[in-house]
Amino acid sequence: MKVFALFVLGLAGWLAGLPAVQAQAQPQPVDVLHWLTSASERRAANQLSQYLAANGVQWRDAAIPGGGGMAAVKVLKSRVLLGDPPDVAQLIGTTLTDWADVGLVLPLNAVAARQRWAQTLFPTVMELVSYQGDVIAAPLGIHRINTLLYNRRIFTRLGLAPPRSWAEFEILARKLQASGIKPLAWSDEPWQIATVFESVLLGEVGPALYRDLIVQRKSSAWLDPRVERALNRLRWLRAVNGDTPREQPWTDAARQLLLGNVGMMVMGDWAKGELMAWGASPVKDFGCVVVPGTENMHLYSIDTLAMLVNARHREATQEKVAELVSSLPAQLAYNRIKGSVPTHRDIDISSLDSCARDSWDTFADPRSARVPSLAHRMAADESIKDAVAQTLWRFLADARMEPAEAQRRLAAVIRAPSAER
Ligand code: BGC
């Protein structure tokens, strides 16, 4: 946070010195920085840019490859430091509030009021995009992190049913192995480890303790024996294929699932979007269920676009972008490709695929638990998220590290929200 504060001072100085330029008469393209670069992500971004173009707004693409936005977030920081923030950026979760704190994010209160976001969007979504009385981002869609994808062709051929518990998962793993198929796609990229871990954690500890651990960030809660169980499960999952795990992009892991080299994959439902972009069908080729132990729970990551304050003064166009991308027609078309679901409530979801319908229904159901993803910035800032992911990576890389030691380290890197500011 200290580095961030220094950076903020520099930025504040830069913002104060902005020349007062009049809005351009000629329509200029909007510069959009994002990390939507896999096949499905690219298509989804193209869908948005075409929708904007049809409504008179040109999209100039500034895509930065890298799963989970690791590289994009760094590029954004350096562009801001160089005095060249993009007009629009894929900023999500707590990253949004960090940038809003330094006055970089254009409030979208007028758009939100015109489009009645408070009435039409899910309350959880509204909460996420609201900060200190302002609406600070335009929502695109809701991803479900606690998703388990399986190769339907293999499961049908071997007469297998998707797992509802870890005990069933273990039996399945043995059956797949006996047929020469690796049970689970795996990558040692820290953000992917963190993505798997938080789903496993939610299943092991339940929503109440999950909130203490991830939202309240109570250090002492990390010493709970149920966290130890989640760590042991994570280690077991990594070892279940029997070969040395390696870092690979999530798209490569999804490809192995489609090719039938592995039977299952735990990943946010953007992996479903990717399989569909490659021509796979959720009816014939693959299926999705929730990660064992997480029925009626929705571990969410909500994608949003923020409009950034910059010397070009494109406020009217930026507001138009926010209005267009968050509208229901744009969201329906975008989310169908992306694998996520619209952020609108009271809509007809019959045209969505079965995984998306289940995700939307669970998110909409007041009886189910909606909990935010740490790995995807919904619950803590970039530095805490990275520290947790690195700690988990280390725990997996060092077979001698006891779960209790990992728990102590996690308790140390998790700082309570109040200690942050
Ligand atoms: C984003 C998704 C994206 C995924 C993989 C997540 O943080 O929310 O939109 O597909 O990262 O890059």
Side-chain angles (χ1 to χ4, degrees):
M1 212 51 190
K2 265 189 197 141
V3 177
F4 196 73
L6 282 176
F7 159 73
V8 168
L9 286 177
L11 176 70
W14 168 76
L15 283 173
L18 287 181
V21 179
Q22 289 305 306
Q24 302 281 333
Q26 290 301 311
Q28 298 272 321
V30 284
D31 201 16
V32 189
L33 189 147
H34 61 89
W35 67 88
L36 303 176
T37 54
S38 75
S40 56
E41 293 174 341
R42 192 62 266 176
R43 274 194 204 171
N46 289 348
Q47 170 69 41
L48 284 182
S49 75
Q50 282 157 16
Y51 190 76
L52 290 182
N55 288 281
V57 180
Q58 303 305 316
W59 164 302
R60 189 167 54 218
D61 205 69
I64 313 292
M70 305 300 290
V73 168
K74 291 194 180 93
V75 171
L76 175 64
K77 258 187 196 168
S78 63
R79 278 193 60 174
V80 171
L81 282 170
L82 291 170
D84 177 34
D87 302 311
V88 183
Q90 185 183 5
L91 278 186
I92 67 176
T94 51
T95 351
L96 267 174
T97 52
D98 283 345
W99 290 110
D101 268 340
V102 299
L104 188 76
V105 175
L106 186 74
L108 299 169
N109 303 343
V111 179
R114 261 200 312 277
Q115 290 200 303
R116 302 178 62 250
W117 286 5
Q119 288 78 36
T120 55
L121 303 184
F122 285 116
T124 308
V125 174
M126 267 318 271
E127 227 171 86
L128 186 90
V129 298
S130 304
Y131 183 59
Q132 296 183 341
D134 285 328
V135 173
I136 53 172
L140 293 177
I142 305 165
H143 276 299
R144 191 178 203 179
I145 307 291
N146 53 324
T147 302
L148 186 150
L149 298 155
Y150 61 95
N151 183 310
R152 204 184 274 279
R153 290 183 187 278
I154 294 178
F155 273 53
T156 308
R157 179 157 49 84
L158 301 179
L160 307 175
R164 282 162 307 179
S165 65
W166 289 117
E168 287 186 9
F169 187 104
E170 289 183 20
I171 296 169
L172 269 175
R174 279 198 292 277
K175 289 189 176 161
L176 287 166
Q177 273 160 341
S179 305
I181 298 160
K182 292 177 185 167
L184 185 70
W186 189 267
S187 168
D188 264 339
E189 280 187 353
W191 76 269
Q192 293 194 57
I193 294 175
T195 302
V196 175
F197 178 70
E198 61 187 17
S199 287
V200 171
L201 183 71
L202 178 62
E204 290 289 353
V205 309
L209 182 54
Y210 181 94
R211 286 199 184 94
D212 281 352
L213 296 165
I214 301 287
V215 183
Q216 305 304 329
R217 304 209 290 275
K218 285 188 193 151
S219 285
S220 57
W222 282 87
L223 307 178
D224 192 284
R226 286 168 286 175
V227 176
E228 180 185 346
R229 281 216 304 268
L231 286 165
N232 281 329
R233 176 60 65 193
L234 184 72
R235 200 168 246 172
W236 182 86
L237 287 171
R238 183 188 191 238
V240 72
N241 287 345
D243 53 9
T244 316
R246 62 198 164 94
E247 293 193 6
Q248 60 176 342
W250 65 272
T251 43
D252 288 3
R255 178 68 72 184
Q256 288 174 8
L257 180 76
L258 184 61
L259 293 176
N261 299 336
V262 299
M264 295 177 277
M265 178 177 189
V266 172
M267 182 50 64
D269 51 10
W270 49 85
K272 175 199 71 177
E274 194 69 3
L275 294 173
M276 288 170 76
W278 295 335
S281 143
V283 180
K284 286 197 236 128
D285 301 312
F286 70 91
C288 58
V289 288
V290 293
V291 169
T294 66
E295 298 78 27
N296 306 321
M297 300 177 202
H298 199 296
L299 178 46
Y300 63 82
S301 171
I302 299 171
D303 276 324
T304 45
L305 291 179
M307 310 299 137
L308 303 190
V309 175
N310 62 36
R312 292 184 288 279
H313 286 279
R314 316 285 317 283
E315 290 84 355
T317 313
Q318 288 169 305
E319 286 194 350
K320 193 163 175 193
V321 172
E323 188 158 336
L324 289 169
V325 298
S326 58
S327 69
L328 185 57
Q331 281 201 3
L332 279 171
Y334 164 89
N335 285 294
R336 197 167 290 136
I337 305 171
K338 186 67 174 64
S340 37
V341 296
T343 61
H344 291 247
R345 49 182 156 152
D346 300 327
I347 59 169
D348 176 10
I349 55 159
S350 57
S351 66
L352 305 186
D353 65 74
S354 59
C355 315
R357 284 201 302 273
D358 189 55
S359 167
W360 192 93
D361 278 339
T362 309
F363 198 87
D365 188 342
R367 288 162 305 177
S368 54
R370 283 160 297 278
V371 294
S373 157
L374 177 80
H376 296 276
R377 307 179 178 81
M378 298 294 117
D381 69 19
E382 203 72 11
S383 62
I384 294 181
K385 162 187 85 70
D386 288 345
V388 168
Q390 284 301 331
T391 306
L392 293 168
W393 182 89
R394 221 165 273 283
F395 168 67
L396 291 184
D398 179 0
R400 287 160 313 171
M401 193 193 291
E402 293 293 335
E405 173 59 17
Q407 286 176 272
R408 275 192 294 278
R409 292 188 188 194
L410 288 165
V413 297
I414 288 280
R415 291 189 309 277
S418 54
E420 257 208 311
R421 296 178 201 284

